[in-house]
Amino acid sequence: MQISKLALSAATLGVSTNVVLAQPDTWALLKDIQINEIVTETSYEVRKTWPKGFAEEEVEIEITGYAAPLTPEGEALRELILVSDMGLCPFCGNPDHNAGLQVQLAEALPFVSENQRITLRGTLSKVHDPETWQAAILRDARIVP
C-alpha cells in the first residue's frame, strides 16, 4: 500500500452549493487530499481521502492558477490542467510537487498559452472512481476577467 498526495487531484469544499470560495483555501485543500493505492496480484484500487471540510455535493468555486493546456497549440481548448505554481509540472507523476486540477471549459477557447495565469469559475466535483488517482474535476469552467 502506498500513501501519497496526488498531483492531479482536487476536491470539493465543505460549504453549501453555489458558494464561490477563495483560491488560497482551495489550493490548500487540494494539496491535502490523500491517495491510497492498493495493488495486489489480482486487483488494483485507489482510495481517496479528502481533508475535513470537503462536501459531497458539487460546489461553485473561483480559483486562480497557471494553465497547462491538454490540446495541441492551434486547436480549440476544451480541457486544461490548472496548477498553483508556474514551476510545477502537472504531468510529471511526482506527488510532492503540489496540487493540480483538471478543468473542463464550458466553451472552447481559441488558445491559452502554457503557464498563463488565469482565474476560472466553475463547478468542482469529487471523482470517486476507484481506478484513477484523479480526485476531483472543475466542470463548466469560464475564465473570470
Side-chain angles (χ1 to χ4, degrees), residues 52-144:
K52 185 178 178 180
F54 277 58
E56 290 298 320
E57 70 272 3
E58 296 179 338
V59 174
E60 183 177 295
I61 67 161
E62 188 170 296
I63 188 167
T64 300
Y66 295 90
L70 294 176
T71 55
E73 188 172 338
E75 291 186 20
L77 182 64
R78 294 203 169 272
E79 290 190 87
L80 58 91
I81 300 294
L82 194 69
V83 294
S84 61
D85 185 301
M86 187 170 59
L88 303 177
C89 170
F91 309 111
C92 295
N94 180 352
D96 297 327
H97 73 68
N98 214 337
L101 176 60
Q102 182 180 354
V103 176
Q104 293 177 341
L105 297 164
E107 298 174 1
L109 298 174
F111 182 69
V112 174
S113 299
E114 186 173 337
N115 292 326
Q116 179 178 341
R117 186 172 168 83
I118 58 175
T119 299
L120 298 168
R121 180 176 293 144
T123 304
L124 195 59
S125 307
K126 285 184 178 181
V127 175
H128 294 279
D129 183 346
E131 296 182 3
T132 179
W133 279 42
Q134 181 184 21
I137 188 168
L138 186 66
R139 291 190 171 97
D140 298 321
R142 297 183 186 279
I143 293 183
V144 176

